[in-house]
Amino acid sequence: MIATEIKKLSPDASLAADRAVLADAADLLLAGELVAFPTETVYGLGALASNSGAIARLYQTKGRPAFNPLIAHISDAEAAFRLGKPTQLAETLAAAFWPGPLTLVLEKKPDCPVSQLATAGLDSIALRVPANPLARQLLAQLGAPIVAPSANPSGQLSPSTADHVAAGLGGEVRLILDGGPCEKGLESTIIDARSDRPVILRPGPVTAEMLTALGQPSSPGQPSSPGQPISPGQLASHYAPQKPLRLNAITAQQGEWLIGFGRLAPACDVTLSESGDLTEAAARLFDLLHAADAADCQRIAIAPIPEDGLGAAINDRLRRAASPKA
Ligand code: AMP
Ligand code: MG
């Protein structure tokens, strides 16, 4: 056990006190420590991308299988394309969606300084330029890439608040930067951008419809073969609450805590969005699943969510959350 400090910052880290905290966070990362920080998707558990010792500890802390590679976070597209080989598609997507909730998988450059452990020995690398002001200032302060998976024990619900991080990893990380609830609340869209057509490895806030509107229609990723996942985010059971979860529920059965959506399931305990707004639902999803785990009930049920737009990413997480654990 180590003492975990939670430091609250203003959302845009504009105060001198915020900058001092971020400087401390960068120093901890340089010293090989783990720091949890907010992004617009979910909270990340960061390690200096070139430090294999820190990354080994990161995998151990999360209980994450070593074949599941990490996303490298950088401050801009130029920094990204120093690590991964840009394609025309990658440049188009970067110009449209960075900074933002999009991760691009590219061929790793031979001189890429990111630890082999973080890329799980693959010849590709996953890259993201986050938009959250705290994440951006931390990257600027550090001046080096940060690898960061979600800041939760592997397989469990992703954290969308600093309290979620503390509940899952308190006593395991030195510092949690608290920037309030995450704006999007769902993990980034992961796109393989090594060819001329985007392949969606994980649906997320950048939707298939948004890619089509950009003139870049996408293909869905193929399910990965056992032991050799292309994107282990494709594992069947992931993002899972402690309690069993029933999907497409209209009414609660005995012992169930019902999460509603829009006008469906009107007699619910809580709702993802009363007005049926998918953006609001995505931002609240993990928080309500955490709340359901903590509620006085044996099981969780959730209303049907339409599959269009952001609904595809929400349903992707819900299917994994409901899938029996291995
Ligand atoms: P998380 O860090 O929990 O959001 O998960 C990151 C996701 O990015 C995992 O599903 C990884 O498998 C995926 N990922 C990271 N690097 C690569 C890569 N080189 N190729 C494909 N997927 C990757
Ligand atoms: Mg994760």
Side-chain angles (χ1 to χ4, degrees), residues 42-43 62 64 68 149-159 187 202 233 238-239:
V42 299
Y43 274 73
K62 268 184 71 84
R64 181 171 172 116
N68 194 346
S150 50
N152 57 304
S154 188
Q156 296 186 15
L157 293 172
S158 292
E187 301 84 353
R202 175 172 73 187
H238 211 66
Y239 316 113

Side-chain angles (χ1 to χ4, degrees), residues 249-252 256-274 284 288 301-303:
I250 304 292
T251 54
E256 277 182 347
W257 204 71
L258 180 59
I259 302 176
F261 176 77
R263 288 203 206 139
L264 292 165
C268 55
D269 293 281
V270 282
T271 181
L272 284 169
S273 167
E274 209 167 330
R284 285 167 63 77
L288 292 190
I302 194 158

Side-chain angles (χ1 to χ4, degrees), residues 186-263:
L186 274 191
E187 301 84 353
S188 61
T189 305
I190 302 180
I191 291 181
D192 187 339
R194 284 175 290 180
S195 69
D196 54 5
R197 189 181 172 97
V199 177
I200 299 184
L201 300 178
R202 175 172 73 187
V206 172
T207 62
E209 287 86 343
M210 288 159 77
L211 295 168
T212 303
L214 189 69
Q216 301 290 345
S218 58
S219 316
Q222 296 304 310
S224 42
S225 53
Q228 258 296 308
I230 307 169
S231 188
Q234 295 168 334
L235 293 171
S237 172
H238 211 66
Y239 316 113
Q242 310 287 335
K243 296 174 182 170
L245 172 67
R246 185 167 68 89
L247 306 182
N248 300 315
I250 304 292
T251 54
Q253 296 173 357
Q254 200 172 5
E256 277 182 347
W257 204 71
L258 180 59
I259 302 176
F261 176 77
R263 288 203 206 139

Side-chain angles (χ1 to χ4, degrees), residues 186-187 202-204 239 285 313-321:
L186 274 191
E187 301 84 353
R202 175 172 73 187
Y239 316 113
L285 179 67
I314 297 174
N315 283 323
D316 169 76
R317 305 305 187 274
L318 286 176
R319 278 191 292 275
R320 293 172 213 278

Side-chain angles (χ1 to χ4, degrees), residues 10-289:
S10 61
D12 55 357
S14 54
L15 308 175
D18 297 331
R19 285 192 289 277
V21 172
L22 289 169
D24 286 348
D27 285 346
L28 284 171
L29 288 167
L30 281 173
E33 299 284 348
L34 308 180
V35 173
F37 63 98
T39 80
E40 69 277 24
T41 58
V42 299
Y43 274 73
L45 180 60
L48 185 65
S50 54
N51 185 329
S52 296
I55 293 164
R57 225 155 347 97
L58 192 159
Y59 275 97
Q60 192 186 20
T61 301
K62 268 184 71 84
R64 181 171 172 116
F67 61 74
N68 194 346
L70 307 176
I71 296 171
H73 295 71
I74 52 276
S75 49
D76 55 32
E78 205 180 307
F81 298 150
R82 281 199 290 271
L83 308 179
K85 207 168 139 195
T87 56
Q88 203 166 27
L89 171 64
E91 284 175 355
T92 304
L93 296 178
F97 299 114
W98 277 352
L102 173 69
T103 297
L104 295 177
V105 172
L106 295 176
E107 192 183 315
K108 191 161 70 169
K109 283 194 164 169
D111 57 351
C112 175
V114 174
S115 160
Q116 289 271 4
L117 200 53
T119 52
L122 298 172
D123 54 10
S124 58
I125 183 163
L127 298 161
R128 178 155 97 90
V129 175
N132 177 286
L134 293 187
R136 296 190 64 71
Q137 291 196 43
L138 181 61
L139 284 164
Q141 181 77 40
L142 184 66
I146 298 175
V147 287
S150 50
N152 57 304
S154 188
Q156 296 186 15
L157 293 172
S158 292
S160 57
T161 66
D163 285 349
H164 297 162
V165 180
L169 297 178
E172 308 276 348
V173 294
R174 279 287 296 276
L175 177 62
I176 301 172
L177 300 178
D178 181 356
C182 299
E183 184 200 337
K184 304 285 180 197
L186 274 191
E187 301 84 353
S188 61
T189 305
I190 302 180
I191 291 181
D192 187 339
R194 284 175 290 180
S195 69
D196 54 5
R197 189 181 172 97
V199 177
I200 299 184
L201 300 178
R202 175 172 73 187
V206 172
T207 62
E209 287 86 343
M210 288 159 77
L211 295 168
T212 303
L214 189 69
Q216 301 290 345
S218 58
S219 316
Q222 296 304 310
S224 42
S225 53
Q228 258 296 308
I230 307 169
S231 188
Q234 295 168 334
L235 293 171
S237 172
H238 211 66
Y239 316 113
Q242 310 287 335
K243 296 174 182 170
L245 172 67
R246 185 167 68 89
L247 306 182
N248 300 315
I250 304 292
T251 54
Q253 296 173 357
Q254 200 172 5
E256 277 182 347
W257 204 71
L258 180 59
I259 302 176
F261 176 77
R263 288 203 206 139
L264 292 165
C268 55
D269 293 281
V270 282
T271 181
L272 284 169
S273 167
E274 209 167 330
S275 63
D277 179 79
L278 287 168
T279 306
E280 184 185 15
R284 285 167 63 77
L285 179 67
F286 285 123
D287 197 34
L288 292 190
L289 288 172

